[in-house]
Amino acid sequence: MSASQKIHFEISERKILLRVMDVFFTLMTLALIGHYTKFDYFRISQTSFYWTIVLALYLVFFGTIFEMYNLQTASNRFQISKSIILTTSVTVLLYLLTPFYTPVLPSNRLQIILFFFSILISLSVWRYLYIVFFASNRFMKKVLFVGSSKEVDALVTELAKFNPHYRVVGYIAVDEVPNNTNVERILAENLDEFVYQNYISEIVVANVKNKLTSVDLYNKLLRLLEKGIVIRKYNQVYEYSTYRLPIHFEDRELYKFFPFSRSNQNKLYVYYSRFFDIVFSLVGLIGFFILAPFLWIVNLFVNKGSFFYTQERVGKNGVPFTIYKMRTMVQNAEQNGAVFATTNDSRITPFGKFLRKTRLDELPQFINVLKGDMAIIGPRPERPVFVEQIANAIPLYQTRHVIKPGLTGWAQVNYPYGSNLEDSLMKLRYDLYYIKHRSLFLDINIVVKTMSTVLFFRGQ
């Protein structure tokens, strides 16, 4: 079998496979039970086929919320079992509560129990098969790295975090630095032989002063490309695998990250985004006004002091605005000056921790969204004093202000609360990824991930 014929799955292909087979196994199980038993609640037929479509949509939607398509979760027996139970329970509950789009509730309630366990067991069986047969080394993508010796470990470490099935098995060094890695070093003249003997399916080329040091190596890579071997740049692989941009503290070359998303200039997308912001903020404010009296009473006794607080934040194009939040810290928390909040900050009150974990403290920010200071989705707004400090250390930091700050964002759903410059750099990588790839699909992805964050109390 040649290298180009060796079977492997890309990350996106795995997620598509999981979704398709979740639906297939569920519907197949229900069809078989309906055929061989007196199970009448759910039957697949031409006249009621839309019931099947609704069930599939519910299954995939709630499966996404409960992280069934997170590859790390999908490969872990305990975590995926928890996700399957949650997804099945919510899917069945909502399916039963939407009778206009689903079958009428059966008079025999045992059919509901059978319906629930049919979905639960079918998903469990398929996901067990996935872990045994698909989340294994036989579908490992084997990769060859071309670049400087010191970059190999960094690449291997990053890829292992985000895709355990992406394995660097060797590298060709373009420098004379001794091999300090666990990855085998390959001589350029042995490239062809190594690629075919090890079933290499992809070659990753790192930037080395924007050029390779050997014309002969370049020609060898070109011949492999012509034979069907995938060759990609390190920046492209990093971005594809981690969903963030590979910037560093000293980076000043903004052109490396262009073109930014065309959606930033797309009038239809801009109008849709603003319409979405207005509708979502109105719904959010209605929810806030319902909860506010109860939260205010609790705050009165437990979190003594003011209920709201305002603060200056930096908005689009660097223009400051006043943000509204519920107070989560003790009164006069910054009497000694502004400092980054930390994960276990002693200034945060017990009730404040609850508000942060559930993201309830951010409900008043729907006012900012309605006013146009913020959007629902975008980089989180930061305080001017911190923006100045961070921008001095990270030159590209101001780039995040080319769009409106958001109530939630790509960095918020992918990285925990930041408390230092290293965290700020990491969140900037995610923010710039969003700015570069901004789209309706990515916005929906962020909204769904935000639901997961709220449901699993991952707020800070």
Side-chain angles (χ1 to χ4, degrees), residues 418-437:
S419 58
N420 53 45
L421 283 176
E422 191 67 46
D423 289 334
S424 296
L425 175 64
M426 188 61 71
K427 300 197 87 165
L428 178 61
R429 290 169 178 162
Y430 284 110
D431 285 333
L432 292 186
Y433 178 93
Y434 174 73
I435 294 172
K436 181 177 180 179
H437 296 279

Side-chain angles (χ1 to χ4, degrees), residues 16 190 206 226 235 245 250 270 354 357 394 402 427 460:
I16 292 172
N190 299 328
E226 292 171 346
N235 288 355
L245 297 190
E250 68 279 3
V270 172
F354 168 76
K357 284 289 184 183
I394 309 173
V402 299
K427 300 197 87 165
Q460 294 288 343

Side-chain angles (χ1 to χ4, degrees), residues 12-24 60 68-71 74 123 126-127 130:
S12 58
E13 290 169 351
R14 287 178 181 273
K15 292 182 178 180
I16 292 172
L17 174 70
L18 289 172
R19 286 178 167 88
V20 171
M21 296 306 288
D22 279 353
V23 173
F24 173 77
V60 172
M68 286 184 63
Y69 308 112
N70 178 301
L71 294 180
L123 289 177
W126 149 236
R127 289 312 187 96
Y130 171 81

